[in-house]
Amino acid sequence: VMIILAKSLKIIRKNWKTFIIITLIYALLYIIFVRGVSGGLNLSSIRASIENHTTNTTTLSTGLSLFVYLIGNSTTSQNSSVNAGVYQTILLIVMSLAVIWTLRQAYNNNKMRARDAFYKGMYPLVSFIIVLIIIGLELIPLLIGGSLYSVVMTNGIAVGGFEKLLWALVFIILALASLYLITSTIFALYIVTLSDMTPVKALRSARQLVRRRRWLVMRKVIFLPLVIILAALIIMVPVILIITVAASWIFLILSLACLVFIHSYLYALYRELLNK
């Protein structure tokens, strides 16, 4: 896992100019079409409220509280309009294709420019969307499990410790089912961007890629969000405490930059599976 992480970071560092340009374009379009220029959170007032109304609070605990608040706020739309959600989805797809194209060129040691990622990387758009739809369907067990667990806990249906544990196990089982399914399909996102590749062929190739080692691959996929959360914690808590007024915008840029890191890590894992 650490070797894959090192490879993913190395390829980003080697081609940092291209990835920074792509991220900045992503951030600019996201702010214009999704978040809005005036959509930043007023963390300074929230911090002051916490410090004024909470006794025995420490600087670190305040930073952690604001960090959790930022994460919670990021999971809900900054602009709840339907148009913002559509723009967000379109941007995610377009930027993913641009990043994947750039990664493929980087691993092949080809010369590239950031604009080429948008001009040349968009050709498998329809096939890419079809694979994304398949992933969405495979996430249904996770969504059902999360909804059931939320309803049970919110409405007090599960009273005793055993009942709560039982419903937690139901959620975990359904979540693992989704994770098991997408463990192969997620690599189809990279396979389908190859020339003359159809979604069906990509899905079949992805299943063959993880055959007899799906649980090992699952472990490496689960490692990714843990690294992201830890890195965000290490970076953002000092930022929140030192420059609170700009923390929400810095968090936004880092959140969007995560797209590059996520694809870089998964693409490195994909290359490793190909070579074994």
Side-chain angles (χ1 to χ4, degrees), residues 27 31 35-41 43 70 236 244-255:
I31 290 170
R35 179 161 181 162
V37 177
S38 59
L41 293 172
L43 281 184
L70 277 175
M236 284 307 305
T244 310
V245 66
S248 64
W249 289 105
I250 295 173
F251 181 78
L252 172 64
I253 300 299
L254 289 177
S255 299

Side-chain angles (χ1 to χ4, degrees), residues 219-229 261-263 265-266:
R219 178 175 60 83
K220 295 181 179 180
V221 171
I222 293 173
F223 177 76
L224 178 58
L226 298 179
V227 170
I228 292 175
I229 293 173
F261 173 68
I262 289 170
H263 280 303
Y265 177 87
L266 292 175

